[in-house]
Amino acid sequence: MARPMTMAEKILAAHAHLDEVEPGQLIECDLDLVLSNDITSPIAIKNFKKIGVEKVFDPTKIALVPDHYVPNKDIKSAEQAKQVREFAREQGITHYYEVGCMGVEHALLPEQGVVGAGDLIIGADSHTCTYGALGAFSTGVGSTDAAVGYATGKAWFKVPETLLFKIDGELNPGVTGKDIILYIIGMIGVDGALYKAMEFTGSAIRGLSMDQRLSISNMAIEAGGKAGLIEVDDITRAYMDGRTERPYTEYHSDPDAKYAKVYEIKASDIPPTVAFPHLPSNTRPVAEARDVKIDQSVIGSCTNGRLEDMRQAAAVLKGRKVHPDVRCIVIPATQQVYKQCIAEGLMDIFLDANCAVSTPTCGPCLGGYMGILAAGERSISTSNRNFVGRMGDPTSEVYLSSPAVAAASAVLGHIGLPEDLD
């Protein structure tokens, strides 16, 4: 009989064709999907061609999503996107998403049903851990690993230990999945889960929508996590049923599975949270940040660009105007989210509030385009990283928050809560 295992261990064991695995073990696994974008794909494509194989292992199990500098901002980004486009055509890649069809990769792939429970996914983007919210083991890798994945459909893993985060009780009004993960990162630090799987459970997690859960798993990497998993339940199944391209497989942690550490958190202890520069772990309650004036507010990204995030921001902005000293940029994460914003009248709310609305892109999050900061400027953002120079000039500052707080701050001209507008 196999040893008791966590979700992460069970998924890795299944893909290594083993009855059991244990932390620290080196294994070779079959992959369900290899992902890369317009920044990482060109490097992976170059390395793939060095391997000497002519065809990818399975053109249905590779996803190429140009989303960082697309629509192209300059000649160099256009050349990168062209390389990805030509490789996709050459190899017959099924999951290639051209401008007009694409979206921010980590919002797009769950929405399109490309990823599902039980999958083992590697992506040449660190926020590939997002899909753990569906009960998958997904993790970011370098472009060379992605190239080998293209060619062989396999990857080596060291089985990680798992940290369990149990969040029980009722969340306070206005507290979202983004606040939960910022609170956890503030508690354990940016290396508190280094090369460990993070598993999130408890009544507060079970009460969250899929959009909120995806936000939590997305930022596991900000604590150093190898993956961020949430157990499949009725909410997950309702999201995946009729959506996923392939049958999914549920893996549940055994009751007596061994965890490296268990964190028990009262949901009521989590306030609306903001991360100050220059680390996601530099967190404080939003109520303690009201003296921070801002120049820009960005609402979008692979962390918080989904429909529920747009609705939260619109609820705050409705009937209000962005502060005259602030630029507010709203970026729906996919074309579907964009269309639904139009259908629900959210786009009118954003435009009437004097927001700038962009086609889906990662642009401002990584300091690419669509919201670069000048020297000394401050931005509040619903994205996931606030390192030095992340969004522009090295002397600029980025503060991380939920969509409602980012929207309220855009109106106030300083960081604040929606209730501060009353």
Side-chain angles (χ1 to χ4, degrees):
M1 184 174 177
R3 63 181 285 273
M5 290 187 288
T6 65
M7 286 175 63
E9 291 162 359
K10 287 185 175 183
I11 295 170
L12 290 172
H15 286 78
H17 307 287
L18 298 171
D19 292 332
E20 63 180 50
V21 296
E22 59 183 32
Q25 184 176 348
L26 292 174
I27 56 174
E28 185 182 49
C29 295
D30 294 333
L31 300 170
D32 294 300
L33 189 73
V34 183
L35 162 70
S36 55
N37 56 52
D38 51 314
I39 293 178
T40 58
S41 292
I43 307 168
I45 292 166
K46 180 180 178 181
N47 288 327
F48 170 80
K49 291 179 177 178
K50 287 181 179 178
I51 293 171
V53 297
E54 292 186 2
K55 291 292 183 182
V56 299
F57 83 102
D58 187 336
T60 70
K61 292 185 176 182
I62 292 169
L64 304 178
V65 187
D67 61 359
H68 279 58
Y69 290 121
V70 177
N72 306 132
K73 79 177 186 76
D74 55 22
I75 295 170
K76 186 174 181 180
S77 63
E79 290 294 340
Q80 287 182 304
K82 182 182 178 184
Q83 286 183 55
V84 181
R85 184 180 301 116
E86 290 178 346
F87 183 73
R89 290 172 180 166
E90 169 196 311
Q91 295 290 330
I93 303 298
T94 318
H95 299 107
Y96 167 70
Y97 299 89
E98 188 54 271
V99 172
C101 301
M102 64 81 172
V104 175
E105 57 198 313
H106 305 310
L108 181 70
L109 297 188
E111 174 192 274
Q112 295 296 311
V114 181
V115 292
D119 283 351
L120 179 57
I121 303 154
I122 62 169
D125 185 275
S126 58
H127 293 104
T128 302
C129 53
T130 304
Y131 317 133
L134 299 171
F137 188 102
S138 58
T139 192
V141 298
S143 293
T144 302
D145 289 316
V148 174
Y150 289 173
T152 67
K154 297 179 183 293
W156 284 94
F157 294 87
K158 183 173 78 169
V159 179
E161 294 181 305
T162 300
L163 302 175
L164 183 64
F165 297 85
K166 297 177 67 176
I167 303 104
D168 285 308
E170 292 289 325
L171 293 168
N172 292 309
V175 173
T176 67
K178 180 63 164 292
D179 299 295
I180 292 172
I181 191 62
L182 285 175
Y183 182 86
I184 288 172
I185 296 167
M187 179 175 67
I188 69 172
V190 291
D191 58 355
L194 195 60
Y195 207 93
K196 292 181 173 61
M198 301 173 75
E199 184 178 331
F200 305 96
T201 188
S203 60
I205 299 295
R206 290 190 291 272
L208 295 175
S209 66
M210 277 311 308
D211 282 3
Q212 298 292 304
R213 296 180 188 193
L214 288 160
S215 292
I216 291 174
S217 293
N218 175 268
M219 290 190 67
I221 185 61
E222 264 61 68
K226 184 70 174 171
L229 298 96
I230 298 175
E231 187 175 36
V232 174
D233 60 12
D234 287 343
I235 290 174
T236 327
R237 295 182 197 104
Y239 182 87
M240 293 190 296
D241 288 344
R243 183 190 298 265
T244 56
E245 296 177 344
R246 296 173 284 103
Y248 59 82
T249 304
E250 295 183 23
Y251 293 93
H252 300 268
S253 295
D254 292 320
D256 50 350
K258 184 179 179 182
Y259 293 92
K261 190 169 183 178
V262 177
Y263 294 87
E264 296 190 0
I265 301 168
K266 288 184 180 179
S268 58
D269 287 343
I270 303 173
T273 301
V274 62
F276 276 53
H278 290 283
L279 286 174
S281 59
N282 188 16
T283 57
R284 302 181 203 176
V286 175
E288 297 178 9
R290 290 189 176 102
D291 60 340
V292 178
K293 291 184 178 181
I294 60 167
D295 301 287
Q296 178 171 287
S297 175
V298 177
I299 301 168
S301 86
C302 64
T303 317
N304 286 120
R306 300 175 183 84
L307 183 58
E308 190 171 335
D309 304 313
M310 297 293 111
R311 288 171 175 163
Q312 289 174 6
V316 174
L317 291 166
K318 187 174 184 179
R320 297 187 168 101
K321 298 288 186 185
V322 172
H323 191 281
D325 295 337
V326 176
R327 311 177 298 274
C328 185
I329 302 165
V330 178
I331 308 178
T334 70
Q335 294 286 79
Q336 278 194 19
V337 173
Y338 201 114
K339 286 179 66 176
Q340 193 61 30
C341 284
I342 295 171
E344 295 184 12
L346 307 187
M347 206 61 73
D348 288 333
I349 293 172
F350 297 141
L351 295 175
D352 289 345
N354 296 335
C355 298
V357 182
S358 168
T359 189
T361 179
C362 301
C365 175
L366 71 155
Y369 73 136
M370 280 302 301
I372 303 301
L373 297 176
E377 288 193 314
R378 288 174 175 162
S379 178
I380 192 165
S381 174
T382 65
S383 56
N384 40 46
R385 287 188 176 154
N386 59 347
F387 307 146
V388 173
R390 172 71 177 177
M391 201 175 277
D393 189 272
T395 65
S396 64
E397 295 180 347
V398 180
Y399 297 75
L400 307 176
S401 78
S402 70
V405 169
S409 302
V411 175
L412 291 164
H414 60 82
I415 295 177
L417 294 158
E419 49 262 41
D420 296 337
L421 298 166
D422 297 334

